Amino acid sequence: FLDDFKDLGGQGLEVTCGVRLILSARRSGAMLAMTSGEASVRARRGLKPAARERELERLTNEVLDGAVRAASEELLLHFQARRKS
């Protein structure tokens, strides 16, 4: 979900996104793990209206990718720690 989109006027654009990943067992549907991640990105300033729309789309993709990566890394660390114990 996109948490926040800010038009910073002359300062540019800022987008923040948070995600939750839930891992469940195939047969039982029991929840095995849940993790979350968040990311924020800023766009350069001084964009014209047409360029702002393209930049917003690029930022949205970038921030979603960053949030999913953060949540995935946390999930990997969780399973690596479980395997060691």
Side-chain angles (χ1 to χ4, degrees), residues 7-20:
D7 185 344
L8 303 172
Q11 299 296 316
L13 302 169
E14 181 179 78
V15 180
T16 302
C17 177
V19 297
R20 283 187 217 122

Side-chain angles (χ1 to χ4, degrees), residues 19-81:
V19 297
R20 283 187 217 122
L21 300 178
I22 300 171
L23 186 63
S24 63
R26 179 190 280 177
R27 291 187 182 174
S28 69
M31 186 171 70
L32 302 174
M34 182 175 86
T35 184
S36 60
E38 186 172 298
S40 293
V41 293
R42 274 192 176 189
R44 61 184 183 266
R45 51 190 168 159
L47 296 172
K48 294 183 180 176
R52 288 173 77 85
E53 287 300 316
R54 288 192 304 276
E55 186 68 358
L56 179 57
E57 185 176 331
R58 186 191 67 76
L59 286 176
T60 301
N61 290 333
E62 185 177 329
V63 76
L64 180 58
D65 182 64
V68 169
R69 283 179 190 270
S72 299
E73 289 170 7
E74 187 178 315
L75 195 57
L76 287 172
L77 291 173
H78 168 76
F79 282 111
Q80 287 171 351

